[in-house]
Amino acid sequence: FRRIGGSDVHCSEEDLAGFYQEQGHQSYDETVVKDATLDDLDPEALEEYRRLRREQDPSAPELGYTDQDLLYSLHAATRQEGRLVPTIAGLLLFGKRIALRRFFPMMRVDYIRVPGREWVPDPEARYQGVEIRDPLLRAIPRAIGQILEDLLTGFHLPAGQDRRQDVPLIPRDAIREVVVNAVMHRNYRVQGPVQIIRYANRLEIRNPGISLIPDERLGEPGSRTRNRQVAAVLHETRYAETKGTGIRAVRELMHQHSLVPPFFESDRAKDTFTVTLLFHHFLSQEDLAWLDRFRDFQLPPDEQKALIFVREVGAINNAAYRDINGAETLESTYRLRRLRDLGLLEQRGQSRATYYVPTSRFVDLSQGVMADQSS
């Protein structure tokens, strides 16, 4: 068992693996890949590391290493029986596509387009998807580029210039942060892809593996990572920082662009971590007009934001309320229960798995139908 909040819960397989990992002073990504050889690594991916590293620090000593010495220094390969053999980190960072397909058939990045706001509600409607199976130093820019290419853009004309600049609905740096976070912190013990799902009104990034930091501490200084060798390389190439400020940066970027705050959900039961970014500005004139339908409830601003989130996503839980309002856990619980008692939300689940969905009254008011508030 381990202590989480006020409860004793059974350790997951990853909990136990983590305990053994700490005892052995070796991270999972340092594990040797059985039957892999240096021929499974792509020299061009290794050269991409050198290029990125040179941009950040032209005097970095590892730039003068031979390929084999560089791989060894990065823990991308280790010596076994007198020869160098690739590690999990080595294949993930520098592996050829055929090697990634052979050794990690499900460890890819899937970009999925869903035309509506729900996960394929119509079984006849097929979603569109792109599978990205590349070493991480190539997969990351490909995933970011795919998102930016697919997002609707606005544009602005900077002062003193005569050419417009396209501006994505979500800040580029926020997209980079959440993509890098997903591939760097995911649980590579789980055979499953990172999913980037573009709905009509939001972007969701799901990766296997819960957050190693409690929900209430997300965004605070300090970082823990499952894959320290992968994280080290991404840090050296400036894809990632390792100080635990990535989530805070995403929150600040969304705030600076007057967008709905990001929602971070660590689901222990499913062993997944999800980031949701809404293509939505808080609070637009349309929002205010829509909220006017709920004026008889005299809702404070934080509860109004919660209703907008429910309208866009279809549900809300304590973590989401905390994220969009910067509230404490107890305050969030009280406010959500108040919305429940007002008949606007219906409570589902129990304990940490509690969440809330719209009631028929919420739907009627949302659609402009006069609801009977005495029911």
Side-chain angles (χ1 to χ4, degrees):
F1 292 86
R2 66 178 298 173
R3 191 72 171 174
I4 298 181
S7 305
D8 293 326
V9 298
H10 282 282
C11 285
S12 66
E13 179 181 350
E14 185 179 358
D15 289 331
L16 296 175
F19 295 146
Y20 286 118
Q21 175 179 306
E22 291 177 3
Q23 186 179 29
H25 304 290
Q26 183 182 53
S27 61
Y28 178 70
D29 59 349
E30 294 176 54
T31 306
V32 169
V33 180
K34 184 179 179 181
D35 297 331
T37 69
L38 293 187
D39 289 338
D40 292 310
L41 303 182
D42 186 348
E44 292 185 4
L46 197 59
E47 185 55 36
E48 177 68 5
Y49 168 84
R50 293 181 189 275
R51 183 186 70 79
L52 292 169
R53 186 70 176 125
R54 190 178 297 112
E55 288 180 358
Q56 301 306 320
D57 183 4
S59 63
E62 58 268 25
L63 293 174
Y65 295 171
T66 66
D67 283 356
Q68 291 198 4
D69 285 344
L70 180 58
L71 290 169
Y72 184 72
S73 70
L74 298 176
H75 289 269
T78 190
R79 291 191 175 90
Q80 192 175 72
E81 297 180 357
R83 63 190 181 93
L84 277 179
V85 292
T87 61
I88 290 174
L91 280 171
L92 292 174
L93 291 162
F94 308 115
K96 296 177 180 177
R97 288 184 179 178
I98 190 171
L100 293 170
R101 179 64 182 82
R102 176 188 174 195
F103 294 109
F104 309 126
M106 295 298 292
M107 291 183 188
R108 60 180 190 267
V109 177
D110 288 349
Y111 181 79
I112 303 168
R113 303 181 188 92
V114 178
R117 296 187 176 193
E118 301 178 35
W119 175 250
V120 197
D122 181 0
E124 299 300 323
R126 297 292 296 172
Y127 58 77
Q128 296 178 313
V130 176
E131 292 185 0
I132 300 174
R133 196 190 305 277
D134 283 303
L136 292 182
L137 293 182
R138 291 179 183 162
I140 290 171
R142 275 195 65 192
I144 294 171
Q146 184 67 59
I147 295 171
L148 291 172
E149 179 183 339
D150 209 31
L151 281 183
L152 295 174
T153 59
F155 73 94
H156 75 287
L157 194 63
Q161 297 187 22
D162 56 5
R163 297 182 63 184
R164 82 175 198 176
Q165 295 181 1
D166 290 330
V167 180
L169 291 176
I170 296 176
R172 296 171 186 268
D173 287 346
I175 292 172
R176 177 181 59 81
E177 290 285 353
V178 296
V179 170
V180 171
N181 182 81
V183 301
M184 182 170 73
H185 292 297
R186 67 152 291 171
N187 182 0
Y188 283 103
R189 292 187 178 87
V190 176
Q191 290 291 322
V194 170
Q195 291 185 323
I196 302 172
I197 308 172
R198 196 270 287 152
Y199 292 92
N201 66 334
R202 67 190 186 275
L203 190 71
E204 289 186 3
I205 299 91
R206 304 176 183 173
N207 60 265
I210 60 172
S211 171
L212 298 180
I213 296 176
D215 290 356
E216 60 273 14
R217 289 184 51 210
L218 287 173
E220 293 182 3
S223 178
R224 292 184 62 194
T225 180
R226 296 179 176 86
N227 314 297
R228 62 189 182 197
Q229 303 309 331
V230 169
V233 169
L234 295 182
H235 171 69
E236 290 172 354
T237 53
R238 291 299 186 268
Y239 274 119
E241 52 77 41
T242 55
K243 299 177 178 62
T245 61
I247 286 179
R248 178 182 293 182
V250 175
R251 286 173 171 159
E252 291 178 352
L253 285 164
M254 297 293 279
H255 175 72
Q256 290 170 9
H257 288 75
S258 300
L259 292 164
V260 176
F263 167 43
F264 303 95
E265 181 179 24
S266 186
D267 190 325
R268 189 174 182 81
K270 297 179 181 178
D271 192 24
T272 58
F273 185 79
T274 303
V275 182
T276 301
L277 304 176
L278 291 175
F279 311 149
H280 194 87
H281 288 79
F282 257 1
L283 293 162
S284 66
Q285 290 299 317
E286 291 78 10
D287 287 336
L288 296 175
W290 179 81
L291 287 168
D292 190 55
R293 300 171 183 176
F294 299 85
R295 61 184 177 277
D296 291 342
F297 294 95
Q298 298 183 339
L299 303 176
D302 286 1
E303 293 179 6
Q304 293 178 9
K305 291 180 181 180
L307 292 191
I308 293 173
F309 187 91
V310 172
R311 182 191 67 184
E312 295 296 318
V313 179
I316 191 170
N317 61 11
N318 192 287
Y321 193 98
R322 292 199 309 269
D323 281 340
I324 64 176
N325 287 308
E328 298 294 333
T329 299
L330 292 179
E331 174 69 12
S332 301
T333 299
Y334 167 76
R335 292 296 178 182
L336 288 170
R337 287 177 178 173
R338 203 179 91 86
L339 291 171
R340 176 200 64 187
D341 295 341
L342 288 172
L344 297 175
L345 299 182
E346 177 184 344
Q347 184 174 337
R348 301 273 182 89
Q350 298 179 16
S351 187
R352 295 174 63 88
T354 298
Y355 65 100
Y356 299 82
V357 296
T359 61
S360 58
R361 175 181 292 179
F362 177 100
V363 174
D364 287 343
L365 286 168
S366 179
Q367 296 174 349
V369 178
M370 295 303 295
D372 179 8
Q373 294 190 28
S374 64
S375 61

